[in-house]
């Protein structure tokens, strides 16, 4: 009697369950199945269908396995099968469960994917429509985006749909980014083949590309590639999968960050078409604010203007010395309706991304630069908040209006500030008494209230890169911080607070902008560091920003105030979006929501819709369906913000590295901006470039990392390098494509500092006792 065969295992059941599908086909152990039987099994199998599974299915044992191996090889050579011995599939077809890489979107904005593994001999890889834009994660459903890899359940269509998709995919889960699939810059060789330079600081090496593995790539192209099997010298070789464009030819070095972070760059044709079909608004049902001289005050190079401001003295005798402040914000919600293609695209992007060489906008240009931009002397729809402040800058009340406005003038920060300082331009002259002076007078009152509130007062000037006509760095400047900047910032903060207060009072769900207080661990590390400078932070948790501000004020008398600002910044939590309110620690506010930039932030659009719903200002407010998804939306746009910040930072690093590439061996002044066990990060004074000094190059001494002091201390000499120290370094190596810079330290460590660094002394005392 034949023994009952074991149940078949299946990857579909997590690799440990039992396979469902076709019934086992049994025969003599030395008999091989036909090609048709093998194809039928592979086609019908719901799990892995490799050599082992085929052997079990057809009861092939012993020497017959050699014959099966030969048969499978023949079928592969004949083009009937593809894949590996562990996972075979019918040529030109995908298995029921497979790994996909999301590569773009179709004209409807839906995500499309291609198989992560596909042989060129099988022809062009099939296009797969991803049915949902979310995949089940360990803790929650996670949003999918271009560049993600997913495990998905595949359904083959009887015929390709109108978009050419041959399959539909139901995502199961997001997989970790494939470490073998990389981005790099291709450098061709005259004799064929070439090398790939890294674009990631963690991968500072080049990969060889043999002739025939270069695809369509040209010299200087950004490419996507895989690492193939190692050659005889045990060195990994690369095979180029796709050429993505030349950052230098396009004068857009941000192209690297766009692809590395999967930023959705171009808008799908259907989204553009929907934006072009939008009809300009009508004034019916809107409060008319066109007679009020609202001003837009923005950076000189701003193309979209989503906020305008106005102030005047309050004529109410009960509020002597008070002011009426009006903040008008572009009414994006009028054009971007929930669940529209434009809305889905805006949510996918989360925010606009600003690079020195271009902007990746959240909304198409038809909206951001035309219909919604508060252009000078043109009627525009807006959502405005009218706020009443007393003479001390305390808000007494506010109200929201859905209105129509006409900007009286478009001014830059510098032009508005110059007018207040006495250098009045021809454009500003007629606006001085009716618009500009009242704005500054109202700001003076609000500034007093801000100082009393005591938000975190960090002084960390931001550098701005100015490019030449070729897209290269011309110079790096630190723009002057003007009262005009502070005025707009404070007015926007007050408008954001008013939005959060109104929605809470109306009990309408919203997305808050929150900032948690520092964690216990970060506070402990901060206190340990401040002790090395004889600075004391109040004990316990639950500190207010004023406790940090006292430290910052004392630090101004020290040689390294920048150091204290930097370390206190690092001790802070990261701001995020959430439907649950925990307040904003940095601003010292109990309620705060982003309302003032709906052209470039999806969070603000959600708040606009919530206000429309709460105040019954139209039929395009927040929907019940949106309310049910606020938690997921908040997490997605928080992740999009972090992605944008990383992409922007990396692009600046690459631009600065390219700027320094022809100055190898030159010396530069800078400060130690980071201390790790493996070395020092140094930020240059003039350009803000960040580079690394390996600890192995610091000298003959052994350097200990004293974490609480943010320092490296010589074991024998006590020679010390500490965060914030001014140093001179020599430029040793630059890899522009990766934004990587390596320095050699020219400044000796502080000789007298060892006795002052209590953490270092304690560290060495402990080591001495152990020895």
């Amino acid at each position: 009697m034949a023994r009952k065969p074991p149940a078949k295992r299946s990857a579909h059941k997590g690799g440990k369950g039992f396979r469902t599908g076709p019934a086992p086909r049994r025969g003599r152990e030395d008999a091989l199945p036909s090609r048709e039987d093998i194809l039928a099994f592979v086609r019908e199998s719901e799990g892995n269908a490799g050599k082992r599974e085929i052997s079990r299915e057809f009861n092939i044992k012993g020497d017959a396995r050699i014959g099966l191996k030969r048969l499978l090889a023949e079928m592969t050579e004949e083009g009937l099968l593809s894949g590996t011995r562990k996972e075979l599939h019918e040529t030109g077809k995908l298995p029921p469960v497979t790994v996909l890489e999301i590569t773009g979107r179709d004209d409807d904005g839906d995500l499309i994917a291609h198989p992560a593994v596909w042989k060129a001999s099988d022809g062009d890889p099939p296009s797969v429509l991803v049915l949902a834009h979310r995949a089940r994660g360990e803790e929650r459903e996670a949003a999918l985006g271009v560049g993600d890899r997913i495990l998905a359940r595949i359904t083959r269509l009887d015929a390709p749909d109108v978009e050419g998709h041959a399959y539909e995919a139901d995502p199961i889960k997001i997989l970790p980014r494939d470490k073998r699939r990389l981005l790099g810059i291709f450098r061709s060789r005259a004799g064929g083949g070439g090398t790939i330079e890294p674009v990631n600081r963690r991968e500072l090496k080049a990969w060889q590309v043999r002739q025939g593995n270069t695809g369509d790539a040209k010299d200087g192209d950004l490419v996507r590639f895989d690492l193939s099997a190692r050659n005889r010298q045990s060195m990994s070789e690369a095979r180029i999968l796709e050429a993505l464009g030349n950052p230098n030819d396009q004068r857009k070095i941000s192209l690297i960050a766009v692809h590395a972070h999967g930023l959705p760059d171009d808008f799908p044709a259907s989204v553009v078409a929907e934006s072009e079909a939008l009809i300009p608004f009508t004034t019916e049902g809107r409060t008319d604010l066109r007679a009020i001289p609202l001003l837009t005050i923005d950076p000189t190079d701003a193309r979209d203007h989503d906020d305008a401001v106005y102030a005047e003295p309050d004529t109410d005798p009960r509020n002597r010395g008070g002011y009426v402040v009006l903040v008008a914000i572009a009414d994006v919600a009028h054009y971007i309706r929930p669940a529209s293609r434009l809305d889905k695209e805006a949510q996918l992007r989360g925010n606009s991304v600003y690079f020195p060489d271009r902007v990746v906008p959240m909304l198409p240009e038809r909206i951001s630069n035309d219909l919604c931009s508060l252009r000078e002397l043109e009627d525009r729809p807006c959502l405005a908040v009218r706020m009443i402040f007393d003479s001390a800058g305390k808000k007494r009340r506010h109200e929201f209006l859905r209105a129509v406005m006409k900007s009286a003038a478009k001014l830059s920060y510098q032009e508005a500030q110059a007018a207040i300082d006495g250098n009045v331009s021809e454009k500003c002259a007629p606006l001085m008494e009716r618009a500009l002076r009242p704005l500054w007078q109202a700001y003076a009152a609000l500034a007093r209230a801000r100082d009393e509130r005591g938000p975190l007062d960090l002084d960390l000037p931001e550098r701005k890169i100015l490019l030449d006509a070729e897209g290269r760095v011309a110079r790096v400047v630190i723009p002057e911080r003007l009262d005009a900047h502070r005025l707009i910032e404070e007015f926007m903060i007050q408008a954001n607070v008013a939005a959060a207060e109104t929605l809470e009072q109306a009990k309408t769900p919203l997305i808050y902008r929150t900032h948690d207080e520092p964690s216990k661990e970060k506070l402990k590390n901060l206190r340990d560091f401040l002790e090395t400078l004889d600075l004391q932070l109040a004990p316990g948790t639950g500190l207010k920003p004023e406790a940090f501000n006292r430290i910052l004020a004392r630090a101004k008398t020290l040689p390294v105030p920048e150091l204290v600002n930097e370390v206190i910044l690092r001790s802070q939590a990261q701001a995020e979006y959430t439907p649950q309110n925990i307040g904003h620690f940095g601003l010292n506010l109990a309620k705060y929501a982003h309302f003032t930039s709906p052209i470039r932030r999806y969070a603000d659009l959600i708040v606009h819709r919530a206000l429309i719903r709460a105040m019954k200002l139209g039929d395009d407010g927040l929907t019940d369906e949106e309310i049910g998804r606020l938690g997921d939306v908040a997490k997605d746009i928080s992740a999009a913000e972090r992605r944008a910040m990383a992409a922007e930072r990396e692009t600046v690093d690459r631009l600065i590295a390219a700027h320094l590439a022809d100055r190898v061996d030159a010396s530069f002044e800078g400060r130690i901006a980071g201390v790790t066990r493996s070395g020092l990060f140094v930020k240059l004074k003039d350009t803000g470039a960040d580079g690394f000094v390996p600890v192995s190059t610091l000298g003959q001494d052994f350097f200990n990392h004293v974490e609480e002091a943010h320092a490296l201390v010589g074991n024998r000499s006590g020679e010390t390098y500490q965060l914030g120290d001014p140093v001179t370094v020599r430029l040793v190596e630059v890899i522009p494509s990766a934004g990587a810079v390596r320095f050699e330290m020219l400044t000796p460590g502080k000789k007298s500092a060892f006795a002052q660094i209590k953490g270092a002394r304690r560290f060495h005392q402990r080591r001495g006792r152990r020895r």
Side-chain angles (χ1 to χ4, degrees):
M1 181 176 177
R3 186 177 58 183
K4 184 177 180 180
K8 303 299 184 285
R9 298 191 182 276
S10 168
H12 181 56
K13 297 293 184 181
K16 299 295 184 183
F18 297 105
R19 178 177 63 81
T20 60
R25 286 164 279 226
R26 297 293 165 201
R28 296 198 339 261
E29 293 187 3
D30 60 347
L32 294 179
S34 67
R35 283 169 164 76
E36 291 74 15
D37 287 341
I38 291 176
L39 287 174
F41 170 73
V42 169
R43 187 182 303 121
E44 297 169 12
S45 177
E46 294 184 7
N48 286 349
K51 177 185 172 185
R52 182 171 61 180
E53 287 74 23
I54 293 173
S55 296
R56 287 178 177 174
E57 175 68 20
F58 295 99
N59 199 26
I60 298 173
K61 299 180 180 179
D63 293 340
R65 290 175 180 249
I66 299 175
L68 175 64
K69 180 179 179 181
R70 186 181 302 114
L71 175 59
L72 295 177
E74 290 173 358
M75 293 178 68
T76 301
E77 290 176 3
E78 293 168 5
L80 297 174
L81 291 176
S82 296
T84 67
R85 64 182 180 86
K86 292 184 178 180
E87 186 176 357
L88 292 164
H89 58 84
E90 196 172 357
T91 295
K93 297 182 180 179
L94 295 178
V97 176
T98 192
V99 176
L100 302 173
E101 181 173 347
I102 298 175
T103 56
R105 283 165 296 149
D106 61 18
D107 288 344
D108 290 331
D110 292 319
L111 294 176
I112 56 175
H114 293 92
V117 177
W118 188 262
K119 292 181 63 176
S121 58
D122 289 350
D124 294 333
S127 177
V128 183
L129 174 67
V130 181
L131 292 177
H133 282 193
R134 316 189 69 78
R136 295 183 290 279
E138 292 183 1
E139 298 179 358
R140 64 176 185 90
E141 289 190 341
L144 299 176
V146 176
D148 280 334
R149 295 172 65 250
I150 60 173
L151 182 68
R153 188 168 289 106
I154 301 298
T155 302
R156 182 177 176 85
L157 302 177
D158 294 334
D161 62 15
V162 293
E163 298 288 347
H165 306 309
Y167 295 86
E168 291 179 342
D170 181 17
I172 298 173
K173 66 178 179 178
I174 297 179
L175 301 175
R177 291 285 179 118
D178 190 346
K179 295 181 180 180
R180 298 184 306 107
R181 182 153 292 186
L182 304 169
L183 291 176
I185 302 294
F186 176 62
R187 303 297 180 191
S188 62
R189 282 195 298 260
T195 59
I196 295 176
E197 296 176 353
V199 296
N200 188 326
R201 286 190 182 190
R202 297 185 181 92
E203 298 282 354
L204 295 184
K205 59 183 177 181
W207 294 272
Q208 300 297 316
V209 185
R210 288 190 181 186
Q211 188 173 3
N213 285 339
T214 60
D216 298 328
K218 301 179 180 61
D219 185 69
D221 276 353
L222 176 68
V223 297
R224 192 184 300 277
F225 66 97
D226 270 350
L227 295 180
S228 58
R230 297 177 182 271
N231 59 24
R232 293 179 181 177
Q233 288 76 38
S234 294
M235 296 180 63
S236 294
E237 293 183 349
R239 178 174 60 91
I240 292 176
L241 303 171
E242 182 182 9
L244 302 170
N246 189 314
N248 291 326
D249 286 351
Q250 300 179 47
R251 297 196 296 275
K252 292 181 179 179
I253 202 166
S254 54
L255 181 70
I256 298 173
V258 166
H259 286 281
H261 290 277
L263 295 176
D265 191 8
D266 296 329
F267 288 97
S270 61
V271 173
V272 174
E274 190 171 277
S275 70
E276 295 295 335
L278 291 173
I279 300 172
F281 80 107
T282 63
T283 61
E284 183 179 355
R286 292 179 177 270
T287 303
D288 195 341
L289 304 177
R290 286 175 290 185
I292 297 176
L294 284 150
L295 304 178
T296 62
I297 304 177
D298 291 297
T300 306
D301 55 357
R303 296 180 61 192
D304 55 76
H305 310 277
D306 51 11
D307 60 84
V309 294
Y310 171 78
E312 64 181 15
D314 191 0
T315 58
D316 186 345
R318 294 169 297 179
N319 188 31
R320 294 186 183 278
Y323 290 89
V324 178
V325 172
L326 191 64
V327 175
I329 307 298
D331 190 356
V332 177
H334 172 76
Y335 293 106
I336 310 299
R337 299 302 179 102
S340 66
R341 289 174 176 174
L342 282 164
D343 180 53
K344 292 177 181 178
E345 182 71 16
Q347 184 179 340
L348 177 69
R349 294 174 177 238
N351 48 250
S352 296
V353 187
Y354 294 87
F355 298 109
D357 56 0
R358 63 166 157 172
V359 176
V360 177
M362 185 180 80
L363 298 171
E365 188 171 351
R366 161 80 164 148
I367 298 171
S368 60
N369 295 342
D370 182 7
L371 294 176
C372 287
S373 185
L374 305 182
R375 290 180 172 180
E376 189 176 49
L377 302 179
E378 295 187 20
D379 291 356
R380 286 292 183 269
C382 66
L383 194 58
V385 57
R386 185 175 184 269
M387 298 174 284
I388 311 297
F389 295 92
D390 64 21
S391 59
K394 298 293 181 65
K395 190 178 66 178
R396 303 184 66 176
R397 62 184 182 275
H398 69 265
E399 63 175 330
F400 282 90
L401 312 167
R402 208 162 192 190
V404 53
M405 62 158 287
K406 180 186 291 185
S407 169
K410 177 185 73 173
L411 302 178
S412 69
Y413 289 114
Q414 292 75 16
E415 188 176 11
Q417 187 68 56
I420 291 297
D421 292 343
N423 186 13
V424 184
S425 67
E426 183 178 348
K427 187 175 189 178
C428 288
L431 299 168
M432 289 301 296
E433 300 305 322
R434 59 195 292 256
L436 283 168
R437 287 198 198 282
L439 276 173
W440 256 258
Q441 291 164 357
Y443 167 64
L446 267 63
R448 289 192 291 271
R450 178 200 62 204
D451 293 343
E452 184 178 339
R453 186 179 83 239
L456 192 60
D457 189 22
L458 290 169
D459 183 16
L460 295 166
E462 294 187 9
R463 288 175 169 81
K464 182 175 182 179
I465 294 180
L466 302 180
L467 303 179
D468 60 21
E470 300 300 318
R472 301 186 184 93
V473 176
R475 57 196 177 102
V476 181
V477 299
I478 299 178
E480 183 182 2
R481 178 80 167 155
L482 305 171
D483 278 345
H485 293 102
R486 298 184 181 94
L487 181 152
I488 295 299
E489 181 179 277
E490 190 61 30
F491 281 17
M492 297 304 112
I493 288 173
Q494 293 300 328
N496 289 336
V497 170
E501 289 175 344
T502 292
L503 293 173
E504 275 203 2
Q505 185 175 7
K507 295 182 170 52
T508 300
L510 71 149
I511 290 178
Y512 294 90
R513 178 65 167 180
T514 63
H515 181 218
D516 205 354
E517 62 183 32
S519 66
K520 291 181 180 179
E521 182 181 0
K522 287 187 174 182
L523 284 176
K524 179 183 182 303
N525 293 337
L526 176 61
R527 288 190 178 95
D528 288 342
F529 166 73
L530 291 175
E531 284 182 10
T532 70
L533 300 175
D534 291 326
L535 295 174
Q536 297 289 330
L537 182 65
T541 57
L543 299 177
K544 297 295 184 182
E546 61 183 355
F548 297 92
N549 289 342
R550 286 194 291 269
I551 297 293
L552 293 168
R554 288 195 57 194
K556 292 178 181 178
T557 65
L558 300 177
V560 286
E562 303 93 343
L563 166 63
V564 178
N565 275 267
E566 183 67 34
V567 175
I568 287 181
L569 174 66
R570 296 182 186 187
S571 73
Q572 302 302 305
Q574 188 172 35
E576 62 181 355
Y577 295 107
T578 172
Q580 289 78 40
N581 183 30
I582 60 170
H584 197 294
F585 177 81
L587 293 175
N588 200 13
L589 292 168
K591 303 178 182 69
Y592 193 66
H594 274 166
F595 157 75
T596 54
S597 295
I599 289 178
R600 62 184 180 90
R601 293 187 306 223
Y602 193 77
D604 302 56
L605 177 56
I606 289 290
V607 170
H608 275 231
R609 288 176 179 161
L611 287 166
I612 293 167
R613 176 183 177 128
M615 307 302 294
K616 297 180 172 55
L617 297 175
D619 60 359
D620 47 359
L622 198 66
T623 65
D624 291 341
E625 192 273 336
E626 286 181 291
I627 289 175
R629 295 190 299 106
L630 284 183
D632 285 340
V633 171
K635 291 175 182 177
D636 292 346
I637 59 180
S638 293
E641 179 185 46
R642 291 190 290 271
R643 177 184 66 185
M645 292 171 62
E648 292 166 354
R649 182 177 60 250
E650 291 169 11
T651 297
V652 168
D653 289 343
R654 292 186 179 104
L655 282 164
I656 294 294
H659 180 58
L660 296 174
D662 59 355
R663 301 188 65 186
V664 172
D665 288 331
S667 298
F668 300 90
E669 302 299 316
R671 283 190 180 273
I672 296 176
V675 181
T676 68
R677 189 184 306 274
S678 56
L680 305 169
F681 290 95
V682 174
K683 183 183 289 290
L684 299 189
K685 180 179 179 181
D686 293 334
T687 62
D690 284 307
F692 188 63
V693 180
V695 68
S696 60
T697 66
L698 288 179
Q700 299 301 314
D701 203 350
F702 177 83
F703 282 82
N704 298 297
H705 179 214
V706 185
E707 189 173 359
E708 60 266 38
H710 295 268
L712 290 178
V713 181
N715 199 34
R716 296 188 302 273
S717 64
E719 193 175 5
T720 301
Y721 293 97
Q722 189 181 20
L723 185 70
D725 284 350
V727 293
T728 301
V729 293
R730 183 174 70 87
L731 181 60
V732 175
E733 183 182 16
V734 181
I735 305 178
S737 60
V741 177
R742 185 163 62 88
F743 294 127
E744 178 185 62
M745 182 63 70
L746 299 180
T747 300
K750 297 182 292 190
K751 295 294 184 182
S752 60
F754 176 60
Q756 300 172 6
I757 299 180
K758 302 172 184 176
R761 183 188 300 164
R762 290 196 301 267
F763 180 86
H764 282 279
Q765 288 172 347
R766 290 196 300 268
R767 287 179 62 88
R769 285 196 296 270
R770 285 199 297 269
R771 291 182 179 181

